[in-house]
PDB file of all heavy atoms in Angstrom:
ATOM      1  N   CYS A   1       0.236  12.880 -20.902  1.00  0.00           N
ATOM      2  CA  CYS A   1      -0.339  13.877 -20.041  1.00  0.00           C
ATOM      3  C   CYS A   1      -0.279  15.264 -20.668  1.00  0.00           C
ATOM      4  O   CYS A   1      -1.311  15.901 -20.935  1.00  0.00           O
ATOM      5  CB  CYS A   1       0.348  13.924 -18.734  1.00  0.00           C
ATOM      6  SG  CYS A   1      -0.300  14.868 -17.489  1.00  0.00           S
ATOM      7  N   MET A   2       0.972  15.723 -21.079  1.00  0.00           N
ATOM      8  CA  MET A   2       1.134  17.048 -21.474  1.00  0.00           C
ATOM      9  C   MET A   2       0.553  17.252 -22.899  1.00  0.00           C
ATOM     10  O   MET A   2      -0.153  18.258 -23.075  1.00  0.00           O
ATOM     11  CB  MET A   2       2.564  17.407 -21.412  1.00  0.00           C
ATOM     12  CG  MET A   2       2.900  19.020 -21.708  1.00  0.00           C
ATOM     13  SD  MET A   2       2.132  19.879 -20.309  1.00  0.00           S
ATOM     14  CE  MET A   2       3.254  19.600 -18.952  1.00  0.00           C
ATOM     15  N   PRO A   3       0.572  16.281 -23.800  1.00  0.00           N
ATOM     16  CA  PRO A   3      -0.072  16.440 -25.082  1.00  0.00           C
ATOM     17  C   PRO A   3      -1.606  16.619 -24.943  1.00  0.00           C
ATOM     18  O   PRO A   3      -2.326  17.204 -25.627  1.00  0.00           O
ATOM     19  CB  PRO A   3       0.294  15.106 -25.800  1.00  0.00           C
ATOM     20  CG  PRO A   3       1.655  14.757 -25.272  1.00  0.00           C
ATOM     21  CD  PRO A   3       1.573  15.058 -23.770  1.00  0.00           C
ATOM     22  N   ARG A   4      -2.196  15.821 -23.996  1.00  0.00           N
ATOM     23  CA  ARG A   4      -3.646  15.979 -23.692  1.00  0.00           C
ATOM     24  C   ARG A   4      -3.986  17.384 -23.171  1.00  0.00           C
ATOM     25  O   ARG A   4      -4.989  17.902 -23.664  1.00  0.00           O
ATOM     26  CB  ARG A   4      -4.092  14.852 -22.680  1.00  0.00           C
ATOM     27  CG  ARG A   4      -5.482  14.906 -22.221  1.00  0.00           C
ATOM     28  CD  ARG A   4      -5.848  13.836 -21.227  1.00  0.00           C
ATOM     29  NE  ARG A   4      -7.142  14.039 -20.701  1.00  0.00           N
ATOM     30  CZ  ARG A   4      -7.595  13.332 -19.730  1.00  0.00           C
ATOM     31  NH1 ARG A   4      -7.032  12.275 -19.289  1.00  0.00           N
ATOM     32  NH2 ARG A   4      -8.843  13.686 -19.197  1.00  0.00           N
ATOM     33  N   ILE A   5      -3.203  17.838 -22.254  1.00  0.00           N
ATOM     34  CA  ILE A   5      -3.458  19.140 -21.734  1.00  0.00           C
ATOM     35  C   ILE A   5      -3.418  20.307 -22.824  1.00  0.00           C
ATOM     36  O   ILE A   5      -4.229  21.153 -22.935  1.00  0.00           O
ATOM     37  CB  ILE A   5      -2.442  19.526 -20.586  1.00  0.00           C
ATOM     38  CG1 ILE A   5      -2.855  18.499 -19.465  1.00  0.00           C
ATOM     39  CG2 ILE A   5      -2.645  20.972 -20.170  1.00  0.00           C
ATOM     40  CD1 ILE A   5      -1.756  18.704 -18.279  1.00  0.00           C
ATOM     41  N   ILE A   6      -2.291  20.222 -23.615  1.00  0.00           N
ATOM     42  CA  ILE A   6      -2.141  21.207 -24.651  1.00  0.00           C
ATOM     43  C   ILE A   6      -3.331  21.057 -25.699  1.00  0.00           C
ATOM     44  O   ILE A   6      -3.829  22.124 -26.210  1.00  0.00           O
ATOM     45  CB  ILE A   6      -0.786  20.971 -25.355  1.00  0.00           C
ATOM     46  CG1 ILE A   6       0.301  21.296 -24.379  1.00  0.00           C
ATOM     47  CG2 ILE A   6      -0.688  21.878 -26.641  1.00  0.00           C
ATOM     48  CD1 ILE A   6       1.757  20.944 -24.841  1.00  0.00           C
ATOM     49  N   ASN A   7      -3.680  19.829 -26.000  1.00  0.00           N
ATOM     50  CA  ASN A   7      -4.805  19.724 -26.904  1.00  0.00           C
ATOM     51  C   ASN A   7      -6.196  20.295 -26.353  1.00  0.00           C
ATOM     52  O   ASN A   7      -6.892  20.873 -27.109  1.00  0.00           O
ATOM     53  CB  ASN A   7      -5.035  18.215 -27.233  1.00  0.00           C
ATOM     54  CG  ASN A   7      -6.212  17.887 -28.173  1.00  0.00           C
ATOM     55  OD1 ASN A   7      -6.040  18.253 -29.306  1.00  0.00           O
ATOM     56  ND2 ASN A   7      -7.184  17.326 -27.783  1.00  0.00           N
ATOM     57  N   ASP A   8      -6.395  19.995 -24.996  1.00  0.00           N
ATOM     58  CA  ASP A   8      -7.654  20.420 -24.439  1.00  0.00           C
ATOM     59  C   ASP A   8      -7.690  21.984 -24.127  1.00  0.00           C
ATOM     60  O   ASP A   8      -8.738  22.491 -24.196  1.00  0.00           O
ATOM     61  CB  ASP A   8      -7.907  19.685 -23.077  1.00  0.00           C
ATOM     62  CG  ASP A   8      -8.187  18.197 -23.336  1.00  0.00           C
ATOM     63  OD1 ASP A   8      -8.485  17.828 -24.460  1.00  0.00           O
ATOM     64  OD2 ASP A   8      -8.092  17.445 -22.351  1.00  0.00           O
ATOM     65  N   TYR A   9      -6.622  22.529 -23.745  1.00  0.00           N
ATOM     66  CA  TYR A   9      -6.529  23.865 -23.429  1.00  0.00           C
ATOM     67  C   TYR A   9      -5.954  24.873 -24.417  1.00  0.00           C
ATOM     68  O   TYR A   9      -5.977  26.051 -24.179  1.00  0.00           O
ATOM     69  CB  TYR A   9      -5.826  24.111 -22.060  1.00  0.00           C
ATOM     70  CG  TYR A   9      -6.531  23.359 -20.853  1.00  0.00           C
ATOM     71  CD1 TYR A   9      -6.406  22.043 -20.662  1.00  0.00           C
ATOM     72  CD2 TYR A   9      -7.415  24.051 -20.138  1.00  0.00           C
ATOM     73  CE1 TYR A   9      -7.111  21.409 -19.533  1.00  0.00           C
ATOM     74  CE2 TYR A   9      -8.150  23.559 -19.089  1.00  0.00           C
ATOM     75  CZ  TYR A   9      -7.995  22.169 -18.829  1.00  0.00           C
ATOM     76  OH  TYR A   9      -8.653  21.482 -17.911  1.00  0.00           O
ATOM     77  N   GLY A  10      -5.229  24.311 -25.408  1.00  0.00           N
ATOM     78  CA  GLY A  10      -4.634  25.086 -26.436  1.00  0.00           C
ATOM     79  C   GLY A  10      -3.387  25.607 -26.166  1.00  0.00           C
ATOM     80  O   GLY A  10      -2.679  26.194 -27.013  1.00  0.00           O
ATOM     81  N   ARG A  11      -2.782  25.450 -24.936  1.00  0.00           N
ATOM     82  CA  ARG A  11      -1.479  25.964 -24.717  1.00  0.00           C
ATOM     83  C   ARG A  11      -1.031  25.511 -23.328  1.00  0.00           C
ATOM     84  O   ARG A  11      -1.824  24.925 -22.525  1.00  0.00           O
ATOM     85  CB  ARG A  11      -1.532  27.500 -24.699  1.00  0.00           C
ATOM     86  CG  ARG A  11      -2.419  28.070 -23.602  1.00  0.00           C
ATOM     87  CD  ARG A  11      -2.489  29.602 -23.673  1.00  0.00           C
ATOM     88  NE  ARG A  11      -1.197  30.292 -23.455  1.00  0.00           N
ATOM     89  CZ  ARG A  11      -1.087  31.478 -23.887  1.00  0.00           C
ATOM     90  NH1 ARG A  11      -1.957  32.171 -24.568  1.00  0.00           N
ATOM     91  NH2 ARG A  11       0.084  32.073 -23.658  1.00  0.00           N
ATOM     92  N   CYS A  12       0.249  25.651 -22.952  1.00  0.00           N
ATOM     93  CA  CYS A  12       0.742  25.454 -21.617  1.00  0.00           C
ATOM     94  C   CYS A  12       1.817  26.445 -21.356  1.00  0.00           C
ATOM     95  O   CYS A  12       2.871  26.557 -22.106  1.00  0.00           O
ATOM     96  CB  CYS A  12       1.173  23.977 -21.291  1.00  0.00           C
ATOM     97  SG  CYS A  12       1.737  23.796 -19.754  1.00  0.00           S
ATOM     98  N   ASP A  13       1.717  27.331 -20.344  1.00  0.00           N
ATOM     99  CA  ASP A  13       2.716  28.391 -20.078  1.00  0.00           C
ATOM    100  C   ASP A  13       3.580  28.012 -18.987  1.00  0.00           C
ATOM    101  O   ASP A  13       4.655  28.594 -18.830  1.00  0.00           O
ATOM    102  CB  ASP A  13       1.924  29.663 -19.685  1.00  0.00           C
ATOM    103  CG  ASP A  13       1.026  30.160 -20.906  1.00  0.00           C
ATOM    104  OD1 ASP A  13       1.608  30.707 -21.808  1.00  0.00           O
ATOM    105  OD2 ASP A  13      -0.134  29.851 -20.819  1.00  0.00           O
ATOM    106  N   GLY A  14       3.349  26.931 -18.172  1.00  0.00           N
ATOM    107  CA  GLY A  14       4.329  26.730 -17.033  1.00  0.00           C
ATOM    108  C   GLY A  14       3.887  25.427 -16.359  1.00  0.00           C
ATOM    109  O   GLY A  14       2.711  24.919 -16.432  1.00  0.00           O
ATOM    110  N   LEU A  15       4.900  24.832 -15.774  1.00  0.00           N
ATOM    111  CA  LEU A  15       4.753  23.468 -15.063  1.00  0.00           C
ATOM    112  C   LEU A  15       5.420  23.687 -13.668  1.00  0.00           C
ATOM    113  O   LEU A  15       6.526  24.087 -13.586  1.00  0.00           O
ATOM    114  CB  LEU A  15       5.445  22.437 -15.887  1.00  0.00           C
ATOM    115  CG  LEU A  15       5.616  21.106 -15.098  1.00  0.00           C
ATOM    116  CD1 LEU A  15       4.383  20.424 -14.855  1.00  0.00           C
ATOM    117  CD2 LEU A  15       6.568  20.133 -16.015  1.00  0.00           C
ATOM    118  N   ILE A  16       4.558  23.299 -12.699  1.00  0.00           N
ATOM    119  CA  ILE A  16       5.092  23.303 -11.355  1.00  0.00           C
ATOM    120  C   ILE A  16       5.149  21.912 -10.717  1.00  0.00           C
ATOM    121  O   ILE A  16       4.072  21.242 -10.556  1.00  0.00           O
ATOM    122  CB  ILE A  16       4.207  24.223 -10.410  1.00  0.00           C
ATOM    123  CG1 ILE A  16       4.280  25.691 -10.765  1.00  0.00           C
ATOM    124  CG2 ILE A  16       4.781  24.094  -8.909  1.00  0.00           C
ATOM    125  CD1 ILE A  16       3.108  26.003 -11.760  1.00  0.00           C
ATOM    126  N   ASN A  17       6.349  21.329 -10.635  1.00  0.00           N
ATOM    127  CA  ASN A  17       6.511  19.980 -10.239  1.00  0.00           C
ATOM    128  C   ASN A  17       6.625  19.933  -8.527  1.00  0.00           C
ATOM    129  O   ASN A  17       7.605  20.216  -8.145  1.00  0.00           O
ATOM    130  CB  ASN A  17       7.747  19.399 -10.755  1.00  0.00           C
ATOM    131  CG  ASN A  17       7.653  19.111 -12.210  1.00  0.00           C
ATOM    132  OD1 ASN A  17       6.674  18.439 -12.701  1.00  0.00           O
ATOM    133  ND2 ASN A  17       8.526  19.611 -13.071  1.00  0.00           N
ATOM    134  N   ASN A  18       5.488  19.642  -7.998  1.00  0.00           N
ATOM    135  CA  ASN A  18       5.343  19.800  -6.458  1.00  0.00           C
ATOM    136  C   ASN A  18       5.096  18.424  -5.906  1.00  0.00           C
ATOM    137  O   ASN A  18       5.471  18.189  -4.775  1.00  0.00           O
ATOM    138  CB  ASN A  18       4.223  20.694  -6.227  1.00  0.00           C
ATOM    139  CG  ASN A  18       3.855  20.544  -4.664  1.00  0.00           C
ATOM    140  OD1 ASN A  18       4.430  21.087  -3.912  1.00  0.00           O
ATOM    141  ND2 ASN A  18       2.617  19.992  -4.559  1.00  0.00           N
ATOM    142  N   ALA A  19       4.722  17.382  -6.612  1.00  0.00           N
ATOM    143  CA  ALA A  19       4.177  16.151  -6.010  1.00  0.00           C
ATOM    144  C   ALA A  19       5.337  15.343  -5.342  1.00  0.00           C
ATOM    145  O   ALA A  19       6.498  15.458  -5.920  1.00  0.00           O
ATOM    146  CB  ALA A  19       3.433  15.348  -7.034  1.00  0.00           C
ATOM    147  N   ARG A  20       4.999  14.659  -4.240  1.00  0.00           N
ATOM    148  CA  ARG A  20       6.070  13.728  -3.665  1.00  0.00           C
ATOM    149  C   ARG A  20       5.339  12.458  -3.277  1.00  0.00           C
ATOM    150  O   ARG A  20       4.063  12.462  -3.301  1.00  0.00           O
ATOM    151  CB  ARG A  20       6.626  14.440  -2.429  1.00  0.00           C
ATOM    152  CG  ARG A  20       5.682  14.701  -1.358  1.00  0.00           C
ATOM    153  CD  ARG A  20       6.289  14.944  -0.068  1.00  0.00           C
ATOM    154  NE  ARG A  20       7.020  13.824   0.623  1.00  0.00           N
ATOM    155  CZ  ARG A  20       7.550  13.862   1.778  1.00  0.00           C
ATOM    156  NH1 ARG A  20       7.504  14.894   2.595  1.00  0.00           N
ATOM    157  NH2 ARG A  20       8.012  12.724   2.237  1.00  0.00           N
ATOM    158  N   ALA A  21       6.035  11.453  -3.005  1.00  0.00           N
ATOM    159  CA  ALA A  21       5.502  10.240  -2.608  1.00  0.00           C
ATOM    160  C   ALA A  21       6.635   9.564  -1.774  1.00  0.00           C
ATOM    161  O   ALA A  21       7.681  10.124  -1.474  1.00  0.00           O
ATOM    162  CB  ALA A  21       5.219   9.268  -3.770  1.00  0.00           C
ATOM    163  N   GLY A  22       6.174   8.462  -1.001  1.00  0.00           N
ATOM    164  CA  GLY A  22       7.012   7.794  -0.081  1.00  0.00           C
ATOM    165  C   GLY A  22       6.643   8.257   1.314  1.00  0.00           C
ATOM    166  O   GLY A  22       6.083   9.350   1.674  1.00  0.00           O
ATOM    167  N   GLN A  23       7.114   7.419   2.323  1.00  0.00           N
ATOM    168  CA  GLN A  23       6.838   7.753   3.718  1.00  0.00           C
ATOM    169  C   GLN A  23       8.083   8.170   4.470  1.00  0.00           C
ATOM    170  O   GLN A  23       9.179   7.798   4.145  1.00  0.00           O
ATOM    171  CB  GLN A  23       6.220   6.526   4.428  1.00  0.00           C
ATOM    172  CG  GLN A  23       5.042   5.931   3.676  1.00  0.00           C
ATOM    173  CD  GLN A  23       3.821   6.967   3.785  1.00  0.00           C
ATOM    174  OE1 GLN A  23       3.544   7.559   4.874  1.00  0.00           O
ATOM    175  NE2 GLN A  23       3.086   7.147   2.658  1.00  0.00           N
ATOM    176  N   ARG A  24       7.856   9.008   5.461  1.00  0.00           N
ATOM    177  CA  ARG A  24       8.956   9.414   6.362  1.00  0.00           C
ATOM    178  C   ARG A  24       9.456   8.103   7.168  1.00  0.00           C
ATOM    179  O   ARG A  24       8.476   7.533   7.744  1.00  0.00           O
ATOM    180  CB  ARG A  24       8.633  10.510   7.320  1.00  0.00           C
ATOM    181  CG  ARG A  24       9.760  10.912   8.226  1.00  0.00           C
ATOM    182  CD  ARG A  24       9.298  12.061   9.115  1.00  0.00           C
ATOM    183  NE  ARG A  24       9.138  13.304   8.353  1.00  0.00           N
ATOM    184  CZ  ARG A  24       8.826  14.524   8.857  1.00  0.00           C
ATOM    185  NH1 ARG A  24       8.524  14.530  10.252  1.00  0.00           N
ATOM    186  NH2 ARG A  24       8.564  15.522   8.007  1.00  0.00           N
ATOM    187  N   THR A  25      10.689   7.772   7.108  1.00  0.00           N
ATOM    188  CA  THR A  25      11.055   6.612   7.654  1.00  0.00           C
ATOM    189  C   THR A  25      12.096   6.840   8.826  1.00  0.00           C
ATOM    190  O   THR A  25      12.723   7.806   9.019  1.00  0.00           O
ATOM    191  CB  THR A  25      11.680   5.529   6.710  1.00  0.00           C
ATOM    192  OG1 THR A  25      12.939   6.185   6.181  1.00  0.00           O
ATOM    193  CG2 THR A  25      10.727   5.298   5.536  1.00  0.00           C
ATOM    194  N   VAL A  26      12.310   5.797   9.611  1.00  0.00           N
ATOM    195  CA  VAL A  26      13.364   5.794  10.717  1.00  0.00           C
ATOM    196  C   VAL A  26      14.674   5.883   9.939  1.00  0.00           C
ATOM    197  O   VAL A  26      14.821   5.083   8.886  1.00  0.00           O
ATOM    198  CB  VAL A  26      13.363   4.561  11.667  1.00  0.00           C
ATOM    199  CG1 VAL A  26      14.501   4.529  12.552  1.00  0.00           C
ATOM    200  CG2 VAL A  26      11.922   4.507  12.393  1.00  0.00           C
ATOM    201  N   PRO A  27      15.707   6.551  10.381  1.00  0.00           N
ATOM    202  CA  PRO A  27      16.990   6.628   9.701  1.00  0.00           C
ATOM    203  C   PRO A  27      17.473   5.233   9.507  1.00  0.00           C
ATOM    204  O   PRO A  27      17.562   4.502  10.263  1.00  0.00           O
ATOM    205  CB  PRO A  27      17.803   7.471  10.567  1.00  0.00           C
ATOM    206  CG  PRO A  27      16.787   8.454  11.332  1.00  0.00           C
ATOM    207  CD  PRO A  27      15.603   7.633  11.441  1.00  0.00           C
ATOM    208  N   LEU A  28      18.046   5.109   8.217  1.00  0.00           N
ATOM    209  CA  LEU A  28      18.634   3.855   7.884  1.00  0.00           C
ATOM    210  C   LEU A  28      17.697   2.576   7.799  1.00  0.00           C
ATOM    211  O   LEU A  28      18.173   1.497   7.755  1.00  0.00           O
ATOM    212  CB  LEU A  28      19.897   3.603   8.845  1.00  0.00           C
ATOM    213  CG  LEU A  28      20.945   4.656   8.833  1.00  0.00           C
ATOM    214  CD1 LEU A  28      22.073   4.177   9.733  1.00  0.00           C
ATOM    215  CD2 LEU A  28      21.519   5.043   7.477  1.00  0.00           C
ATOM    216  N   GLN A  29      16.402   2.948   7.770  1.00  0.00           N
ATOM    217  CA  GLN A  29      15.414   1.804   7.653  1.00  0.00           C
ATOM    218  C   GLN A  29      14.621   1.914   6.336  1.00  0.00           C
ATOM    219  O   GLN A  29      13.435   1.536   6.396  1.00  0.00           O
ATOM    220  CB  GLN A  29      14.523   1.863   8.900  1.00  0.00           C
ATOM    221  CG  GLN A  29      15.188   1.658  10.173  1.00  0.00           C
ATOM    222  CD  GLN A  29      15.833   0.189  10.295  1.00  0.00           C
ATOM    223  OE1 GLN A  29      15.195  -0.777   9.883  1.00  0.00           O
ATOM    224  NE2 GLN A  29      17.068   0.219  10.803  1.00  0.00           N
ATOM    225  N   GLU A  30      15.197   2.479   5.399  1.00  0.00           N
ATOM    226  CA  GLU A  30      14.495   2.626   4.104  1.00  0.00           C
ATOM    227  C   GLU A  30      14.183   1.312   3.408  1.00  0.00           C
ATOM    228  O   GLU A  30      14.970   0.312   3.498  1.00  0.00           O
ATOM    229  CB  GLU A  30      15.324   3.544   3.114  1.00  0.00           C
ATOM    230  CG  GLU A  30      14.689   4.092   1.995  1.00  0.00           C
ATOM    231  CD  GLU A  30      13.970   5.324   2.352  1.00  0.00           C
ATOM    232  OE1 GLU A  30      14.683   6.379   2.748  1.00  0.00           O
ATOM    233  OE2 GLU A  30      12.816   5.476   2.138  1.00  0.00           O
ATOM    234  N   THR A  31      13.098   1.186   2.748  1.00  0.00           N
ATOM    235  CA  THR A  31      12.812   0.015   2.025  1.00  0.00           C
ATOM    236  C   THR A  31      12.915   0.339   0.506  1.00  0.00           C
ATOM    237  O   THR A  31      12.765   1.500   0.074  1.00  0.00           O
ATOM    238  CB  THR A  31      11.352  -0.457   2.348  1.00  0.00           C
ATOM    239  OG1 THR A  31      10.380   0.604   1.853  1.00  0.00           O
ATOM    240  CG2 THR A  31      11.050  -0.656   3.709  1.00  0.00           C
ATOM    241  N   ALA A  32      13.085  -0.738  -0.251  1.00  0.00           N
ATOM    242  CA  ALA A  32      13.210  -0.539  -1.748  1.00  0.00           C
ATOM    243  C   ALA A  32      11.930   0.229  -2.343  1.00  0.00           C
ATOM    244  O   ALA A  32      11.985   0.943  -3.210  1.00  0.00           O
ATOM    245  CB  ALA A  32      13.536  -1.851  -2.400  1.00  0.00           C
ATOM    246  N   LYS A  33      10.661  -0.270  -1.829  1.00  0.00           N
ATOM    247  CA  LYS A  33       9.529   0.326  -2.319  1.00  0.00           C
ATOM    248  C   LYS A  33       9.372   1.795  -1.959  1.00  0.00           C
ATOM    249  O   LYS A  33       8.993   2.529  -2.869  1.00  0.00           O
ATOM    250  CB  LYS A  33       8.276  -0.418  -1.649  1.00  0.00           C
ATOM    251  CG  LYS A  33       6.941   0.135  -2.176  1.00  0.00           C
ATOM    252  CD  LYS A  33       5.770  -0.631  -1.481  1.00  0.00           C
ATOM    253  CE  LYS A  33       4.449  -0.096  -2.226  1.00  0.00           C
ATOM    254  NZ  LYS A  33       4.334   1.318  -2.204  1.00  0.00           N
ATOM    255  N   ASN A  34       9.771   2.178  -0.811  1.00  0.00           N
ATOM    256  CA  ASN A  34       9.729   3.609  -0.492  1.00  0.00           C
ATOM    257  C   ASN A  34      10.720   4.382  -1.381  1.00  0.00           C
ATOM    258  O   ASN A  34      10.322   5.470  -1.761  1.00  0.00           O
ATOM    259  CB  ASN A  34      10.150   3.799   1.053  1.00  0.00           C
ATOM    260  CG  ASN A  34       9.515   4.956   1.641  1.00  0.00           C
ATOM    261  OD1 ASN A  34       8.256   5.272   1.596  1.00  0.00           O
ATOM    262  ND2 ASN A  34      10.290   5.942   2.163  1.00  0.00           N
ATOM    263  N   ILE A  35      11.896   3.860  -1.552  1.00  0.00           N
ATOM    264  CA  ILE A  35      12.776   4.408  -2.438  1.00  0.00           C
ATOM    265  C   ILE A  35      12.155   4.665  -3.919  1.00  0.00           C
ATOM    266  O   ILE A  35      12.385   5.688  -4.558  1.00  0.00           O
ATOM    267  CB  ILE A  35      14.226   3.782  -2.559  1.00  0.00           C
ATOM    268  CG1 ILE A  35      14.865   3.714  -1.207  1.00  0.00           C
ATOM    269  CG2 ILE A  35      15.138   4.316  -3.634  1.00  0.00           C
ATOM    270  CD1 ILE A  35      16.028   2.734  -1.059  1.00  0.00           C
ATOM    271  N   GLY A  36      11.745   3.604  -4.349  1.00  0.00           N
ATOM    272  CA  GLY A  36      11.081   3.559  -5.720  1.00  0.00           C
ATOM    273  C   GLY A  36       9.929   4.567  -5.809  1.00  0.00           C
ATOM    274  O   GLY A  36       9.825   5.389  -6.800  1.00  0.00           O
ATOM    275  N   ASP A  37       9.031   4.621  -4.799  1.00  0.00           N
ATOM    276  CA  ASP A  37       7.928   5.515  -4.800  1.00  0.00           C
ATOM    277  C   ASP A  37       8.391   7.027  -4.829  1.00  0.00           C
ATOM    278  O   ASP A  37       7.838   7.778  -5.578  1.00  0.00           O
ATOM    279  CB  ASP A  37       7.039   5.388  -3.609  1.00  0.00           C
ATOM    280  CG  ASP A  37       6.288   3.977  -3.716  1.00  0.00           C
ATOM    281  OD1 ASP A  37       6.085   3.438  -4.617  1.00  0.00           O
ATOM    282  OD2 ASP A  37       5.743   3.594  -2.568  1.00  0.00           O
ATOM    283  N   SER A  38       9.433   7.320  -4.050  1.00  0.00           N
ATOM    284  CA  SER A  38       9.822   8.605  -3.947  1.00  0.00           C
ATOM    285  C   SER A  38      10.539   9.090  -5.255  1.00  0.00           C
ATOM    286  O   SER A  38      10.297  10.232  -5.809  1.00  0.00           O
ATOM    287  CB  SER A  38      10.942   8.754  -2.792  1.00  0.00           C
ATOM    288  OG  SER A  38      11.416  10.083  -2.676  1.00  0.00           O
TER     289      SER A  38
END
């Protein structure tokens, strides 16, 4: 990803890691998949 961006745009000045995944679950009812996605 980053090598492609630097090649296409010539530079990268900053990265904002904002993405999230997984679903809001009932307390103590987490699944392995939800943990892995998050």
Side-chain angles (χ1 to χ4, degrees):
C1 193
M2 195 63 69
R4 174 181 170 181
I5 291 170
I6 293 169
N7 180 71
D8 290 349
Y9 293 89
R11 62 188 295 160
C12 181
D13 299 279
L15 167 67
I16 299 91
N17 290 306
N18 166 75
R20 61 166 291 188
Q23 302 297 317
R24 181 177 293 181
T25 63
V26 175
L28 305 182
Q29 298 296 318
E30 196 86 57
T31 65
K33 183 181 185 308
N34 208 54
I35 295 170
D37 290 345
S38 183

